[in-house]
Amino acid sequence: MADYYVGEKEYFPKITKIKYEGPKSDNPLAFKYYDAEKKVGKKKMKDHLRFAIAYWHSFCADGTDPFGSATHAHPWIADAKTPMEAAGHKMDAAFEFITKLGAEFYCFHDRDMAPEGASPFESEKNLFAMVARAKKLQKAAGVKLLWGTSNLFSHPRYMNGAATNPEFGVVALAAAQVKAAIDATIELGGLGYTFWGGREGYMSLINTDLKKEKDHLACFLSIACDYARKQGFKGTFYIEPKPMEPTKHQYDFDTETVIGFLRHYGLDKDFRLNIEANHAELAGHEFAHELETAAAAGLFGSVDANRGDAQNGWDTDQFPNSYYETALAMYAILKAGGFTTGGLNFDAKIRRNSIDPADLFIAHIGGMDAFAAGLEIAQRIINDGRIPGFVKKRYVSFNTGNGAKFDKGELSLEQLAKIGFDAGYGKTGITSGKQEYLENILNQYLLGL
Ligand code: XLS
Ligand code: NI
Ligand code: NI
């Protein structure tokens, strides 16, 4: 029996199950580092990494860019007579791809899975017809839903925002969409539901009531959450920060901004962060910075695994390939205790000119290998102990005596200042940060794969 799903028609006939062949393999369609069952620390690789495939990039995006038309001729669309038939074929292709690759999860937007109809009712009907099919395929293929979401940015009605739209009528239409997408996520056993506010921001302050829009966004999120809980949803809500694109400024600018927003509006009990590497870069942060910031607030949730381009200022959504970056990301994730409901969702697309059917596999294999290697390096950092040990030692003066009192918030400024006056200048503060030493250790792990 094949260990992958194939529907009525096989869409990737030249490709079978992708296997682990090890770092010396020259087979482009084999894993070099990702060995699903291999134990790293206490868990198997697959349980640490929880890979998810992004429905939109992998099965919907067709290579269109602002300067040119589609370059990816998807066979699952070409052979269909109606949009709903195309959606069905696309779903078959998706589950074939996901299972041949050996990923356990996927993520989708409502409109990736089913086309919009002529009314909100028809759109919901389309979605639920596809959800019924997805439910069967998930079961047959052993694939789970990491999170669902709603596309509140593509349709022209959302050009001024969805939850933050200045017209109430649009906010209500966004609610109709989100309600159906939450129902779909619950029906499919989704572990999470994501809000990425692509158009929840502004193009110019001159036509915007910023406070009103932020209040509306919070209100929308809060009633969406109430609804889902009432329907029995036990999963996690995620906010995915991004500073800009498509709007000039998005309210979910970066992790720190979202943490402040969630706490201000009392949403931090239900919401966690879904952190995307490329968005971190656009906000002027390292990927690991965003992960550590979320973890420090106890709000780390999930990851959109991709990479940007240092020379470009937009969301290029390329597949992750820097072991340095994945190692530091996995180190941050392991320190945060690993994933619970979250995982690594490849919010990444192949390039416009990558037109061989195998390219989609090769891209994901590279991304999975990059995170598997990153995981191994991160575990090595922890096992070897030199880097975490150094950091621990750096703060040792807060472990006892007055340092410990300050750490617990037990000293007033007068008491603290008196300690300073009494101690005098002496040699305090003249200790090396040893950054280069630590960076060299990291490189040693990276090359010692
Ligand atoms: C776009 C976002 C989007 C979300 C899901 O930049 O990354 O793909 O992940 O709506
Ligand atoms: Ni994303
Ligand atoms: Ni993105």
Side-chain angles (χ1 to χ4, degrees), residues 196 240 242 276 278-279 304 306 315 317 347:
W196 168 65
E240 184 179 323
K242 185 175 182 180
E276 177 165 323
N278 205 158
H279 298 180
D304 269 11
N306 62 11
D315 205 10
D317 285 342
D347 193 354

Side-chain angles (χ1 to χ4, degrees), residues 11-12 15 18 28-29 31 53-61 72 74-76 90 93-98 101 319 346 348-351 353-368:
Y11 288 101
F12 304 94
I15 295 166
I18 306 298
L29 289 165
F31 294 118
I53 306 304
Y55 215 93
W56 52 103
H57 281 313
S58 294
F59 315 113
C60 308
H72 300 149
H74 296 311
W76 47 90
K90 180 162 67 177
F95 279 83
E96 181 189 328
F97 176 83
I98 296 167
L101 187 67
F319 279 84
F346 286 113
K349 58 179 180 238
I350 47 175
R351 297 303 87 190
N353 54 0
S354 298
I355 57 162
D356 291 340
D359 291 336
L360 190 61
F361 281 90
I362 293 171
H364 281 87
I365 290 167
M368 289 162 87

Side-chain angles (χ1 to χ4, degrees), residues 5 48 52 66 71 120 152 171 177-178 196 211 274 289 292 308 322 358 372 401 437 439:
Y5 168 86
H48 275 290
T71 52
L152 300 176
V171 179
Q177 227 182 293
V178 166
W196 168 65
K211 180 175 184 310
N274 178 39
H289 163 93
E292 296 222 2
S322 159
Y437 161 72
E439 286 171 345

Side-chain angles (χ1 to χ4, degrees), residues 61-72 349 351-353:
D62 58 9
T64 307
D65 76 7
F67 299 94
S69 50
T71 52
H72 300 149
K349 58 179 180 238
R351 297 303 87 190
R352 186 165 188 268
N353 54 0

